[in-house]
Amino acid sequence: GQNIDQPTEMTATEGAIVQINCTYQTSGFNGLFWYQQHAGEAPTFLSYNVLDGLEEKGRFSSFLSRSKGYSYLLLKELQMKDSASYLCAVRDQNQAGTALIFGKGTTLSVSS
Amino acid sequence: AAGVIQSPRHLIKEKRETATLKCYPIPRHDTVYWYQQGPGQDPQFLISFYEKMQSDKGSIPDRFSAQQFSDYHSELNMSSLELGDSALYFCASSPGTGGLITEAFFGQGTRLTVV
């Protein structure tokens, strides 16, 4: 089976740094993805990791440890528009068409 | 840049009716995924297609069926609709590229309301 866990909610203030954790237990592993989703809108791609380590992309960074089944998304210099749900997703096979399986998402609220 | 197009954007149906949702992937993407997202829930994977063949299957009810056509667009057919089918239905596409990692790009979704 597959199990992907994230905190349900987090709060932070504008300009701060926040780390959203994700742990996963899947039958296989072929990449971990982070998506951002505003209410009622489509998920938008933020980052992916397939090898251990940190991937940096502007204000967003994502880290992966395959041996620990653990990832985090780091958001720096938070802005009000970063208030959204952040979804961790895993692809467990390397065959074409294998779907991303999502965690339940972390709702981040950024206040001024 | 072209994105994933879904139609209709909104749909209202009565219980026991049928509905057809359409998805047009990004050009040159040969893989399509369907997800169902209820209020406050994460996207639940339903089914996917690669090169017009079903490639992965999730929690799609037997009342639903889907296919991918020769132009790579996909349709999700839903019959005997129930109140619990009310949700946002997302389609996503990606290039197949075998085992290479690629992200899935999501359409804006179809909001289905069953009354």
Side-chain angles (χ1 to χ4, degrees), chain B residues 45-63:
Chain B
F45 170 62
L46 295 178
I47 195 166
S48 65
F49 293 88
Y50 167 63
E51 281 293 342
K52 293 153 279 184
M53 300 285 287
Q54 180 183 310
S55 57
D56 200 359
K57 191 173 182 181
S59 54
I60 185 169
D62 292 341
R63 298 177 290 109

PDB file of all heavy atoms in Angstrom, chain B residues 45-63:
ATOM      1  N   PHE B  45      -6.616   9.714  -7.199  1.00  0.00           N
ATOM      2  CA  PHE B  45      -6.359   9.233  -8.542  1.00  0.00           C
ATOM      3  C   PHE B  45      -7.440   8.258  -8.985  1.00  0.00           C
ATOM      4  O   PHE B  45      -7.802   7.332  -8.256  1.00  0.00           O
ATOM      5  CB  PHE B  45      -4.983   8.557  -8.589  1.00  0.00           C
ATOM      6  CG  PHE B  45      -4.704   7.825  -9.858  1.00  0.00           C
ATOM      7  CD1 PHE B  45      -4.652   8.503 -11.069  1.00  0.00           C
ATOM      8  CD2 PHE B  45      -4.497   6.464  -9.854  1.00  0.00           C
ATOM      9  CE1 PHE B  45      -4.407   7.837 -12.246  1.00  0.00           C
ATOM     10  CE2 PHE B  45      -4.234   5.781 -11.025  1.00  0.00           C
ATOM     11  CZ  PHE B  45      -4.197   6.467 -12.219  1.00  0.00           C
ATOM     12  N   LEU B  46      -7.940   8.454 -10.185  1.00  0.00           N
ATOM     13  CA  LEU B  46      -8.968   7.576 -10.733  1.00  0.00           C
ATOM     14  C   LEU B  46      -8.382   6.599 -11.760  1.00  0.00           C
ATOM     15  O   LEU B  46      -8.489   5.387 -11.614  1.00  0.00           O
ATOM     16  CB  LEU B  46     -10.080   8.394 -11.400  1.00  0.00           C
ATOM     17  CG  LEU B  46     -10.905   9.300 -10.475  1.00  0.00           C
ATOM     18  CD1 LEU B  46     -11.930  10.093 -11.287  1.00  0.00           C
ATOM     19  CD2 LEU B  46     -11.594   8.497  -9.395  1.00  0.00           C
ATOM     20  N   ILE B  47      -7.789   7.149 -12.812  1.00  0.00           N
ATOM     21  CA  ILE B  47      -7.332   6.300 -13.910  1.00  0.00           C
ATOM     22  C   ILE B  47      -6.384   7.104 -14.789  1.00  0.00           C
ATOM     23  O   ILE B  47      -6.439   8.335 -14.799  1.00  0.00           O
ATOM     24  CB  ILE B  47      -8.537   5.779 -14.725  1.00  0.00           C
ATOM     25  CG1 ILE B  47      -8.158   4.618 -15.636  1.00  0.00           C
ATOM     26  CG2 ILE B  47      -9.207   6.913 -15.499  1.00  0.00           C
ATOM     27  CD1 ILE B  47      -9.370   3.880 -16.197  1.00  0.00           C
ATOM     28  N   SER B  48      -5.505   6.404 -15.514  1.00  0.00           N
ATOM     29  CA  SER B  48      -4.597   7.090 -16.429  1.00  0.00           C
ATOM     30  C   SER B  48      -4.458   6.305 -17.719  1.00  0.00           C
ATOM     31  O   SER B  48      -4.732   5.097 -17.770  1.00  0.00           O
ATOM     32  CB  SER B  48      -3.226   7.322 -15.793  1.00  0.00           C
ATOM     33  OG  SER B  48      -2.582   6.081 -15.534  1.00  0.00           O
ATOM     34  N   PHE B  49      -4.038   7.013 -18.744  1.00  0.00           N
ATOM     35  CA  PHE B  49      -3.842   6.429 -20.068  1.00  0.00           C
ATOM     36  C   PHE B  49      -2.506   6.884 -20.629  1.00  0.00           C
ATOM     37  O   PHE B  49      -2.117   8.045 -20.478  1.00  0.00           O
ATOM     38  CB  PHE B  49      -4.963   6.865 -21.020  1.00  0.00           C
ATOM     39  CG  PHE B  49      -6.298   6.318 -20.642  1.00  0.00           C
ATOM     40  CD1 PHE B  49      -7.096   7.006 -19.750  1.00  0.00           C
ATOM     41  CD2 PHE B  49      -6.747   5.119 -21.155  1.00  0.00           C
ATOM     42  CE1 PHE B  49      -8.340   6.504 -19.364  1.00  0.00           C
ATOM     43  CE2 PHE B  49      -7.985   4.606 -20.781  1.00  0.00           C
ATOM     44  CZ  PHE B  49      -8.778   5.301 -19.882  1.00  0.00           C
ATOM     45  N   TYR B  50      -1.839   5.940 -21.286  1.00  0.00           N
ATOM     46  CA  TYR B  50      -0.605   6.244 -21.997  1.00  0.00           C
ATOM     47  C   TYR B  50      -0.731   5.672 -23.400  1.00  0.00           C
ATOM     48  O   TYR B  50      -1.017   4.478 -23.559  1.00  0.00           O
ATOM     49  CB  TYR B  50       0.603   5.646 -21.270  1.00  0.00           C
ATOM     50  CG  TYR B  50       1.878   5.632 -22.075  1.00  0.00           C
ATOM     51  CD1 TYR B  50       2.462   6.821 -22.499  1.00  0.00           C
ATOM     52  CD2 TYR B  50       2.484   4.427 -22.421  1.00  0.00           C
ATOM     53  CE1 TYR B  50       3.622   6.816 -23.246  1.00  0.00           C
ATOM     54  CE2 TYR B  50       3.653   4.415 -23.171  1.00  0.00           C
ATOM     55  CZ  TYR B  50       4.221   5.599 -23.577  1.00  0.00           C
ATOM     56  OH  TYR B  50       5.372   5.596 -24.323  1.00  0.00           O
ATOM     57  N   GLU B  51      -0.532   6.515 -24.379  1.00  0.00           N
ATOM     58  CA  GLU B  51      -0.649   6.074 -25.776  1.00  0.00           C
ATOM     59  C   GLU B  51      -1.960   5.312 -26.011  1.00  0.00           C
ATOM     60  O   GLU B  51      -1.978   4.222 -26.608  1.00  0.00           O
ATOM     61  CB  GLU B  51       0.546   5.198 -26.165  1.00  0.00           C
ATOM     62  CG  GLU B  51       1.777   5.993 -26.478  1.00  0.00           C
ATOM     63  CD  GLU B  51       1.635   6.840 -27.747  1.00  0.00           C
ATOM     64  OE1 GLU B  51       0.720   6.565 -28.571  1.00  0.00           O
ATOM     65  OE2 GLU B  51       2.419   7.800 -27.920  1.00  0.00           O
ATOM     66  N   LYS B  52      -3.031   5.881 -25.508  1.00  0.00           N
ATOM     67  CA  LYS B  52      -4.399   5.407 -25.740  1.00  0.00           C
ATOM     68  C   LYS B  52      -4.735   4.091 -25.038  1.00  0.00           C
ATOM     69  O   LYS B  52      -5.809   3.530 -25.260  1.00  0.00           O
ATOM     70  CB  LYS B  52      -4.696   5.305 -27.243  1.00  0.00           C
ATOM     71  CG  LYS B  52      -4.713   6.653 -27.926  1.00  0.00           C
ATOM     72  CD  LYS B  52      -4.344   6.569 -29.392  1.00  0.00           C
ATOM     73  CE  LYS B  52      -2.857   6.494 -29.578  1.00  0.00           C
ATOM     74  NZ  LYS B  52      -2.428   6.497 -31.001  1.00  0.00           N
ATOM     75  N   MET B  53      -3.823   3.618 -24.211  1.00  0.00           N
ATOM     76  CA  MET B  53      -4.090   2.404 -23.443  1.00  0.00           C
ATOM     77  C   MET B  53      -4.143   2.758 -21.968  1.00  0.00           C
ATOM     78  O   MET B  53      -3.369   3.586 -21.483  1.00  0.00           O
ATOM     79  CB  MET B  53      -2.986   1.375 -23.672  1.00  0.00           C
ATOM     80  CG  MET B  53      -2.823   0.946 -25.115  1.00  0.00           C
ATOM     81  SD  MET B  53      -4.124  -0.164 -25.634  1.00  0.00           S
ATOM     82  CE  MET B  53      -3.642  -1.646 -24.748  1.00  0.00           C
ATOM     83  N   GLN B  54      -5.041   2.093 -21.248  1.00  0.00           N
ATOM     84  CA  GLN B  54      -5.087   2.313 -19.805  1.00  0.00           C
ATOM     85  C   GLN B  54      -3.759   1.878 -19.198  1.00  0.00           C
ATOM     86  O   GLN B  54      -3.271   0.773 -19.469  1.00  0.00           O
ATOM     87  CB  GLN B  54      -6.232   1.510 -19.192  1.00  0.00           C
ATOM     88  CG  GLN B  54      -6.360   1.685 -17.688  1.00  0.00           C
ATOM     89  CD  GLN B  54      -7.457   0.819 -17.109  1.00  0.00           C
ATOM     90  OE1 GLN B  54      -8.579   0.818 -17.610  1.00  0.00           O
ATOM     91  NE2 GLN B  54      -7.142   0.084 -16.064  1.00  0.00           N
ATOM     92  N   SER B  55      -3.156   2.729 -18.387  1.00  0.00           N
ATOM     93  CA  SER B  55      -1.838   2.414 -17.853  1.00  0.00           C
ATOM     94  C   SER B  55      -1.833   2.252 -16.341  1.00  0.00           C
ATOM     95  O   SER B  55      -0.966   1.568 -15.809  1.00  0.00           O
ATOM     96  CB  SER B  55      -0.835   3.496 -18.244  1.00  0.00           C
ATOM     97  OG  SER B  55      -1.269   4.751 -17.803  1.00  0.00           O
ATOM     98  N   ASP B  56      -2.741   2.874 -15.642  1.00  0.00           N
ATOM     99  CA  ASP B  56      -2.768   2.783 -14.185  1.00  0.00           C
ATOM    100  C   ASP B  56      -4.218   2.990 -13.750  1.00  0.00           C
ATOM    101  O   ASP B  56      -4.966   3.740 -14.389  1.00  0.00           O
ATOM    102  CB  ASP B  56      -1.849   3.847 -13.569  1.00  0.00           C
ATOM    103  CG  ASP B  56      -1.445   3.536 -12.137  1.00  0.00           C
ATOM    104  OD1 ASP B  56      -1.892   2.508 -11.596  1.00  0.00           O
ATOM    105  OD2 ASP B  56      -0.693   4.337 -11.556  1.00  0.00           O
ATOM    106  N   LYS B  57      -4.586   2.335 -12.700  1.00  0.00           N
ATOM    107  CA  LYS B  57      -5.972   2.428 -12.239  1.00  0.00           C
ATOM    108  C   LYS B  57      -5.991   2.662 -10.744  1.00  0.00           C
ATOM    109  O   LYS B  57      -5.287   1.979  -9.992  1.00  0.00           O
ATOM    110  CB  LYS B  57      -6.732   1.147 -12.581  1.00  0.00           C
ATOM    111  CG  LYS B  57      -8.231   1.225 -12.379  1.00  0.00           C
ATOM    112  CD  LYS B  57      -8.891  -0.037 -12.923  1.00  0.00           C
ATOM    113  CE  LYS B  57     -10.403   0.053 -12.768  1.00  0.00           C
ATOM    114  NZ  LYS B  57     -11.070  -1.184 -13.262  1.00  0.00           N
ATOM    115  N   GLY B  58      -6.782   3.641 -10.348  1.00  0.00           N
ATOM    116  CA  GLY B  58      -6.903   3.959  -8.934  1.00  0.00           C
ATOM    117  C   GLY B  58      -8.278   3.623  -8.437  1.00  0.00           C
ATOM    118  O   GLY B  58      -8.818   2.560  -8.715  1.00  0.00           O
ATOM    119  N   SER B  59      -8.872   4.565  -7.725  1.00  0.00           N
ATOM    120  CA  SER B  59     -10.149   4.308  -7.071  1.00  0.00           C
ATOM    121  C   SER B  59     -11.346   4.694  -7.937  1.00  0.00           C
ATOM    122  O   SER B  59     -12.288   5.317  -7.470  1.00  0.00           O
ATOM    123  CB  SER B  59     -10.195   5.056  -5.740  1.00  0.00           C
ATOM    124  OG  SER B  59      -9.922   6.435  -5.945  1.00  0.00           O
ATOM    125  N   ILE B  60     -11.303   4.320  -9.190  1.00  0.00           N
ATOM    126  CA  ILE B  60     -12.417   4.667 -10.086  1.00  0.00           C
ATOM    127  C   ILE B  60     -13.579   3.711  -9.865  1.00  0.00           C
ATOM    128  O   ILE B  60     -13.403   2.492  -9.892  1.00  0.00           O
ATOM    129  CB  ILE B  60     -11.949   4.664 -11.564  1.00  0.00           C
ATOM    130  CG1 ILE B  60     -13.076   5.142 -12.481  1.00  0.00           C
ATOM    131  CG2 ILE B  60     -11.417   3.297 -11.972  1.00  0.00           C
ATOM    132  CD1 ILE B  60     -12.629   5.432 -13.904  1.00  0.00           C
ATOM    133  N   PRO B  61     -14.785   4.240  -9.599  1.00  0.00           N
ATOM    134  CA  PRO B  61     -15.942   3.359  -9.395  1.00  0.00           C
ATOM    135  C   PRO B  61     -16.299   2.629 -10.694  1.00  0.00           C
ATOM    136  O   PRO B  61     -15.989   3.091 -11.781  1.00  0.00           O
ATOM    137  CB  PRO B  61     -17.070   4.325  -9.000  1.00  0.00           C
ATOM    138  CG  PRO B  61     -16.415   5.623  -8.692  1.00  0.00           C
ATOM    139  CD  PRO B  61     -15.143   5.660  -9.443  1.00  0.00           C
ATOM    140  N   ASP B  62     -16.966   1.506 -10.543  1.00  0.00           N
ATOM    141  CA  ASP B  62     -17.394   0.737 -11.726  1.00  0.00           C
ATOM    142  C   ASP B  62     -18.380   1.525 -12.580  1.00  0.00           C
ATOM    143  O   ASP B  62     -18.523   1.249 -13.773  1.00  0.00           O
ATOM    144  CB  ASP B  62     -18.029  -0.583 -11.285  1.00  0.00           C
ATOM    145  CG  ASP B  62     -17.014  -1.527 -10.668  1.00  0.00           C
ATOM    146  OD1 ASP B  62     -15.802  -1.327 -10.905  1.00  0.00           O
ATOM    147  OD2 ASP B  62     -17.425  -2.441  -9.944  1.00  0.00           O
ATOM    148  N   ARG B  63     -19.051   2.497 -11.991  1.00  0.00           N
ATOM    149  CA  ARG B  63     -20.023   3.312 -12.735  1.00  0.00           C
ATOM    150  C   ARG B  63     -19.331   4.291 -13.687  1.00  0.00           C
ATOM    151  O   ARG B  63     -19.972   4.930 -14.516  1.00  0.00           O
ATOM    152  CB  ARG B  63     -20.886   4.114 -11.759  1.00  0.00           C
ATOM    153  CG  ARG B  63     -21.714   3.280 -10.805  1.00  0.00           C
ATOM    154  CD  ARG B  63     -22.485   4.147  -9.816  1.00  0.00           C
ATOM    155  NE  ARG B  63     -21.605   4.788  -8.843  1.00  0.00           N
ATOM    156  CZ  ARG B  63     -21.342   6.084  -8.832  1.00  0.00           C
ATOM    157  NH1 ARG B  63     -21.876   6.897  -9.733  1.00  0.00           N
ATOM    158  NH2 ARG B  63     -20.540   6.597  -7.906  1.00  0.00           N
TER     159      ARG B  63
END
